[in-house]
Amino acid sequence: SLPAKLINGGIAGLIGVTCVFPIDLAKTRLQNQQNGQRMYTSMSDCLIKTIRSEGYFGMYRGAAVNLTLVTPEKAIKLAANDFFRHHLSKDGKKLTLLREMLAGCGAGTCQVIVTTPMEMLKIQLQDAGRIAAQKKLMAAQAQLSSSSVVGAAEPAVETRTTATQITRELLRSKGITGLYKGLGATLLRDVPFSIVYFPLFANLNKLGQKDPNIKAPFYVSFLSGCVAGSTAAVAVNPCDVIKTRLQSLQRGVNEDTYSGILDCTKKIWQKEGPMAFLKGAYCRALVIAPLFGIAQVVYFIGIAEFLLDMLPKHRA
């Protein structure tokens, strides 16, 4: 049933995000740093420096936004894919690869309603620590070089903002469109992702089914979700880099600003080289693999069906 699908998708998203959020934070910071202003050399370096400067919970900056909105986002994504698959297979025949891709395309298009504002807010909170650390480092260097000067300025203290404050400011200054900055880039990432992910997962999962009428074992669904998720994530990583750059409202010192997808692509290619489009790719693969592996296990086990079935018995 639709309520069960929505609940399953929400539970899957909550569990998955909680497990992999620190890696996602590292991905955002690695993707946003530009040549000449590199704060981190790798995912592990980023996480270690984040813990040192911001504490353990610094790795979860922006997690509240993700945990709040991931339930509708994952619910829409998984339920929409099932909806389109169902209506594209009304004749009772097995879905062709093209129809599986169309179903994935529909799911990816539907989810951006929630994904775009969620990513927009999350990126501001995740990247704030990087920008603050960069400013402190430059202030400390300036103070060191002018140590002979009396009354040298102290490094600036970071003022932490919340998702609510960012939302209010965007709505006040730009209206609802402010929360949907980078919508085109989000579509450019999520639609191809779903086109690759859902057909690949479905076909990998079928390999573990001994009987077409019986669900595959949970470990098959988990591994299928991991492989399909990481493959799709790496495939669309260039689009994710562009989306992350476009949605960042604050920039580090001497970092470029962008007017749109083409401008962003051109500047990254010219100033940072083609390999810049793969920044954070392994982080993204590490995030998406367990996230979708866990999501598919929860979704296919059908926790919601069990809970919904228990309600009448409990009332009785």
Side-chain angles (χ1 to χ4, degrees):
S1 65
L2 182 59
K5 289 177 182 178
L6 296 177
I7 294 171
N8 277 333
I11 294 172
L14 288 171
I15 296 172
V17 166
T18 303
C19 294
V20 302
F21 192 84
I23 304 174
D24 186 63
L25 178 136
K27 180 219 66 152
T28 297
R29 294 188 176 185
L30 289 171
Q31 286 182 339
N32 261 337
Q33 65 179 7
Q34 300 177 21
N35 289 348
Q37 301 295 335
R38 291 168 62 88
M39 289 290 301
Y40 316 107
T41 57
S42 64
M43 179 187 74
S44 57
D45 180 56
C46 178
L47 293 176
I48 289 170
K49 287 179 178 176
T50 298
I51 293 172
R52 285 176 180 171
S53 62
E54 303 169 54
Y56 174 80
F57 290 104
M59 296 191 297
Y60 281 88
R61 292 183 71 167
V65 174
N66 231 27
L67 290 171
T68 302
L69 296 179
V70 75
T71 297
E73 189 246 5
K74 283 291 177 288
I76 290 171
K77 187 186 188 81
L78 295 172
N81 181 65
D82 271 6
F83 173 82
F84 287 117
R85 287 179 70 90
H86 172 72
H87 285 279
L88 287 170
S89 61
K90 275 189 172 181
D91 53 7
K93 296 179 181 178
K94 179 183 175 182
L95 278 177
T96 62
L97 180 60
L98 177 60
R99 290 193 174 192
E100 287 183 332
M101 293 173 71
L102 285 172
C105 178
T109 304
C110 290
Q111 79 170 80
V112 297
I113 297 170
V114 177
T115 303
T116 305
M118 178 182 76
E119 291 275 318
M120 175 74 177
L121 295 171
K122 182 192 72 172
I123 285 171
Q124 313 317 314
L125 298 171
Q126 285 182 328
D127 204 39
R130 179 188 70 89
I131 295 172
Q134 187 190 84
K135 289 179 179 178
K136 285 180 182 178
L137 179 62
M138 295 193 72
Q141 289 174 345
Q143 188 178 25
L144 185 64
S145 63
S146 60
S147 56
S148 58
V149 179
V150 179
E154 292 292 327
V157 178
E158 179 191 359
T159 303
R160 293 203 175 193
T161 56
T162 65
T164 303
Q165 290 173 328
I166 296 170
T167 302
R168 285 175 180 170
E169 178 58 29
L170 285 171
L171 289 174
R172 185 190 64 79
S173 60
K174 299 181 180 179
I176 192 67
T177 56
L179 290 173
Y180 280 86
K181 183 180 180 182
L183 175 62
T186 306
L187 279 168
L188 199 61
R189 181 197 69 170
D190 288 349
V191 172
F193 177 92
S194 295
I195 289 174
V196 173
Y197 172 77
F198 283 111
L200 183 56
F201 169 79
N203 286 283
L204 288 174
N205 200 52
K206 283 177 186 176
L207 296 176
Q209 289 180 277
K210 295 180 180 179
D211 187 326
N213 299 317
I214 300 176
K215 289 181 181 179
F218 77 92
Y219 63 86
V220 172
S221 293
F222 177 76
L223 291 175
S224 298
C226 288
V227 173
S230 57
T231 302
V234 173
V236 302
N237 196 76
C239 301
D240 190 56
V241 172
I242 294 168
K243 182 200 73 67
T244 300
R245 296 280 182 95
L246 288 175
Q247 288 188 320
S248 297
L249 300 176
Q250 301 294 323
R251 303 286 177 189
V253 180
N254 300 323
E255 290 184 345
D256 289 326
T257 57
Y258 311 102
S259 59
I261 294 173
L262 292 178
D263 180 56
C264 182
T265 304
K266 182 181 177 181
K267 285 181 178 177
I268 292 174
W269 182 278
Q270 290 178 342
K271 297 184 179 182
E272 302 175 58
M275 290 304 294
F277 291 104
L278 293 178
K279 282 185 176 181
Y282 66 97
C283 289
R284 184 162 163 75
L286 288 174
V287 168
I288 297 296
L291 179 61
F292 277 83
I294 293 168
Q296 291 295 357
V297 169
V298 173
Y299 196 64
F300 276 82
I301 285 176
I303 292 177
E305 286 89 338
F306 173 76
L307 294 175
L308 291 173
D309 286 344
M310 289 295 291
L311 286 177
K313 297 176 183 178
H314 179 69
R315 288 171 185 167

